[in-house]
Amino acid sequence: MRMKIKSFNVIPNLPDSLKALDELSTNMWFTWNWDAIMMFVSINEDLWHRSHRNPKWILGTLAPERLDELSRDDNFLGKLGEIKKKFEDYMSYKDTWFAKHADGQDKDMLVAYFSMEYGIGEGLPIYSGGLGMLSGDHLKSSSDLGMPLVGVGLLYRKGYVQQVLNRDNWQTERYPENDWYNMPVQIVKDHAGKPLRVEVDLAGERVVVGVWKVPVGRGSLYLLDTNLPENSPASRTITEQLYGGDRENRIRQEIVLGIGGARALEAMGLKPTVFHVNEGHSAFLLFERIRHLMKSRGLSYAEAREIVWASSVFTTHTPVMAGNEYFDFELVRKYFETYSKELGLTFPEFLDLGKEEHTSMGFCMTVVAMKLSAFLNGVSLLHRDVSRDMWHKLWPGLPRYEVPIEGITNGVHTCSWISHEHHQLYSKALSGGNNGVPDSCDWPKITEIDDKEFWDTHMLRKVKLVKLVRERLRRQHTRLGADRTVLAEIETVLNPEYLTIGFARRFATYKRATLFMRDLERLLKLVTDEDMPVQFVFAGKAHQADAHGKEFIKQVARLSLDKRFKNRIIFVEDYNMNVARYMVQGVDVWMNNPIRPLEASGTSGMKAVINGVMNLSVLDGWWPEGYSPDVGWAIGGTEAYNSDEERDYVEAESIYNHIKKMVAPLYYQRDEQGLPRGWIKMMKACVQKLVPHFNTNRMVREYHEKFYSHAHRSSRKFLENSRVAEIARWRRKLEDNWPRVKAVVDQFKPEMEVHAGAKLPVSAVVWLGDLKPEDVDVQLYIGAAGGEGEFKDGKALSMTHDARMGDAYLYKGEVPCYKSGRHDFAVRVLGRHPDAVNALMPLYLKWSEE
């Protein structure tokens, strides 16, 4: 007989004078406000660390005697009052960037941002790596800017894997359970005061989804939960673990996130005008939006798709094909064959939305998002170009550089990653520098900060990093039963005076964490150099199923035990946000050496530059945009290699040579005061030039200017069903007539000699079937053609409709001869409609024939 267990929840009983702690502990605003953090630390520093920086858990654990003591502590109450006022001023501030810069049409905008993970704070462990850090920083900057945005994610019963190294330095995993009733989340309730519930159908099973809210400054993050008594044991585990389980559990998670997330927003009465799909995991929400619009407004599939397409943003994050989500067709059939009928589609038509031509890899979530979103971007300018190459097949016939994937380079939330010592230094020396550091500081004045004060601030962070590393090593080796001699030796690990190079990231093989070990003899000479010693601090996790990544960790961690290296190469166990913060604030150089161009953006190096740390990096991701010789160093170049072996050899040599010949000499070159003046100058240039751009305030503004405002206006425009019906009819007319569209250049015979500055007239005859000239844009495309009959570069000029010629139309234009040399041109026809957001999506394109 199974035991029936009853549950109830107990909340802290705070004295009236401490009531403000309740709100301050549950709004993630505290994670980027140092005064608030220090106030919580002062309550009980031991509990602060044990709770993984979770003040709500601290308040629920604190002894009543300590609460009583705090309630009578005038100093503490004074500090609490100051922080409460600062929080209230922040929350009530009306003159935000969005309020000042948004067009009047944008005032009722609401962006719904969907992501599989969010790195907001250590006390909310629903993140894995870079995607989560980016999502969390996106929410924080949206709050700072006053951007009306809500996040949607999943509430994982187990936090992401905790890394534990065994005696052989092999990564094993632990999955601690999250105690959500002692975390900064709140159950969302319906109008009757009961926990809100929505439902999703999973292969015929009705699964109930609960919703939790996380306040993030002025914004909110909503987390979906299937671990409810109403669900079957199997369905309760859907939201058990981030990236856990098999492929079937993954599709179930993504259905809950996308479809359940869209339904949760509707149930809460939230009406987003823009939907941002951050990576393909949540792309099923696009189908749910179509289904809902069809049902609620009586639209056809084509009409509803038009609205969804014009108001959706998709960000792709990886150039690694394996990193794009694919599902087996039969698995998709199991979960969507019935659902597709609600969309008015046959199942093969539904599958076509996720299929790539001429491949059998499966149903691709990236393809779905690209076909159903009008606004697409990669996360750096290089990643934009790589993505255009990767997905060019979705726009056949279009020059690759015209593929409508933009580049919006990632950033980091400055106040979340800057050390409080650097924050104080900048705030004192520069004008501005509070919550809007990237925008309000007068960065050129960074050069006026006293060199010694700048260096002392940096060295203080190095000492703190060394202390953290030793503490974590002591804890690790104590767990493994190390004797006293080993524990005593840990106290000598690392020296704050030595040149310190940091490397911390996910241990995917393409990130090449072991590249610096390629020539151990050269590495040994660098590390043990008596005049210019170098030390390395490594951290990072491998995916639990990635044996190769775990082998990389083992190889690096073994050097920690190798006596030849004198405890100067250290691997820090269980990388998390706190370790990341200490590392980017405390090393001298941040090293990054992925295989170019597989790093979409990378943000850890951006976090480092905020704290005056230079990058030594392959020219991949964001670094080609940030690099110049006065702010850091480039490993290798942009050249192609004949083999992987050659590439690794050349770039490992580049690492050794840079450190030996440039980095270490500059670091150790001191003046009579013991200051490395050249190094400090470079640190200041790094901060001055890179921080103002590589931050999420700039990034979110760019999303608004390039995407959000346009998507929002499309949403408002399509509130009229007649307008939607009109553009859907135009789209159908294009589809029906496009096989009959044809263009030919009409008798083009230039003179033997054409001089620069001339304008050559060009005529084209265009057959449009039943289309009218106002339905299309006939363009003269001018540029340079490559050897394969494609344009290498070019620009389009619209031609003018001149006359009707039987069943065809005559168009005229001019080729401007702007320089000497060969000129290439062609004529092309594109669909055109005043309400279409982008003429290239979906693509109707015909080039002129011979």
Side-chain angles (χ1 to χ4, degrees), residues 109 116 125 169 195 202 292 310 316 475 504 573 623 636 680 706 746:
M109 175 192 293
M116 197 75 163
N169 291 301
L202 294 179
H292 177 72
T316 178
R475 196 180 314 149
E573 184 183 64
W623 192 229
I680 295 169
K706 289 185 175 179
D746 183 39

Side-chain angles (χ1 to χ4, degrees), residues 782-817:
I782 307 158
E788 298 179 0
E790 293 183 355
F791 280 98
K792 296 184 297 182
D793 60 63
K795 64 178 180 178
L797 302 173
S798 292
M799 301 181 74
T800 303
H801 170 226
D802 186 66
R804 182 77 186 252
M805 298 176 59
D807 61 347
Y809 297 88
L810 180 66
Y811 282 79
K812 291 190 174 181
E814 293 180 329
V815 177
C817 303

Side-chain angles (χ1 to χ4, degrees), residues 156-167:
Y156 301 104
R157 185 164 68 87
K158 296 181 179 179
Y160 191 63
V161 57
Q162 284 188 354
Q163 180 189 60
V164 180
L165 300 188
N166 66 18
R167 292 179 183 277

